[in-house]
Amino acid sequence: MIEHLDEKLSSELFKSLTSGKIINKRHMKDNLLKINPLYIELSENEKTYLELYKKIGYELKVKSNYYYLASIGDGSSDGVRTKIITTLLVLFRYVSHDKGFSVDYLMNDAYGITKEDMDYLNASKYMTGIKLAEGKSINENLQLLTERGITYKTSRGHYVLTEAGTDFFNEYMNGMQKDVPFSLDDDDS
């Protein structure tokens, strides 16, 4: 069972998952959205990884296009969770109210959050929410979202939501906050 796992990918998975990152089916590589080899490793050996992580005190959460870890019996990391939620809510409000677009704008590779959007947000009323979440700028919080696998940065420098980011927002807005992929220990992010 364990002997079928790719040692290099298993090690990379452990490091990524235990640091709070989401393993998305697609990820940005060489400025192209490509299938993630870590996702393939997990999906091809899902049962083994589910058992393995359970034995070391984690629950591997399986979604349609991504994986993440939750500590068994652990509460969520309020600091990181608050930054993520606040940043996503500010982005959605900005896109829908100020720009007049649907939230699909944040999910489309051709659009997303641009440098001009970040400049506007950093100078606007929306930064009150970000500062309440202990972020210094929208740029810092977008970097956190990218590091965690919630957004990716396109070759044009736009931030676009991953499938995980889209699901998280939808679940949060539908009152399902208990099952969102941000329940790992806080780190220096």
Side-chain angles (χ1 to χ4, degrees):
M1 136 170 130
I2 243 177
E3 55 274 353
H4 298 294
L5 302 180
D6 182 295
E7 188 175 327
K8 182 179 179 217
L9 291 176
S10 292
S11 177
E12 194 174 335
L13 277 168
F14 182 79
K15 182 178 177 187
S16 293
L17 288 167
T18 57
S19 67
K21 295 180 181 173
I22 296 166
I23 306 300
N24 287 289
K25 184 175 185 176
R26 302 177 313 145
H27 70 144
M28 190 61 71
K29 178 136 176 117
D30 302 323
N31 290 323
L32 296 171
L33 212 48
K34 296 182 178 182
I35 299 296
N36 186 344
L38 295 176
Y39 178 89
I40 298 300
E41 172 69 11
L42 278 170
S43 64
E44 289 178 354
N45 301 290
E46 190 173 284
K47 185 176 179 180
T48 302
Y49 279 110
L50 284 166
E51 291 175 23
L52 180 63
Y53 282 108
K54 186 175 182 179
K55 288 182 182 200
I56 60 172
Y58 292 100
E59 181 181 2
L60 181 62
K61 297 285 194 163
V62 180
K63 298 293 184 173
S64 61
N65 291 312
Y66 61 95
Y67 293 88
Y68 67 95
L69 278 186
S71 298
I72 296 174
D74 187 19
S76 66
S77 170
D78 290 337
V80 171
R81 184 183 180 100
T82 299
K83 278 185 185 181
I84 290 168
I85 291 167
T86 304
T87 303
L88 285 176
L89 292 175
V90 165
L91 294 176
F92 287 117
R93 182 169 173 82
Y94 166 69
V95 166
S96 63
H97 291 280
D98 289 37
K99 293 190 81 110
F101 295 118
S102 75
V103 294
D104 293 340
Y105 181 88
L106 290 172
M107 302 167 202
N108 186 321
D109 293 347
Y111 302 109
I113 296 297
T114 66
K115 167 107 173 66
E116 292 77 20
D117 292 327
M118 289 186 279
D119 291 343
Y120 175 83
L121 285 166
N122 282 325
S124 77
K125 63 186 176 192
Y126 293 111
M127 278 312 295
T128 302
I130 297 293
K131 288 176 183 168
L132 289 174
E134 300 178 18
K136 294 182 180 150
S137 70
I138 192 72
N139 311 57
E140 175 185 286
N141 286 21
L142 281 169
Q143 183 60 39
L144 171 66
L145 296 182
T146 301
E147 289 168 3
R148 293 294 176 109
I150 300 163
T151 61
Y152 60 89
K153 192 172 182 180
T154 68
S155 60
R156 297 183 339 176
H158 299 187
Y159 288 89
V160 177
L161 286 180
T162 63
E163 290 92 350
T166 302
D167 281 359
F168 169 64
F169 180 74
N170 290 333
E171 288 180 8
Y172 186 80
M173 294 309 289
N174 290 323
M176 300 172 68
Q177 298 92 330
K178 65 186 178 305
D179 191 32
V180 294
F182 311 107
S183 60
L184 293 176
D185 294 330
D186 202 354
D187 59 15
D188 293 338
S189 298

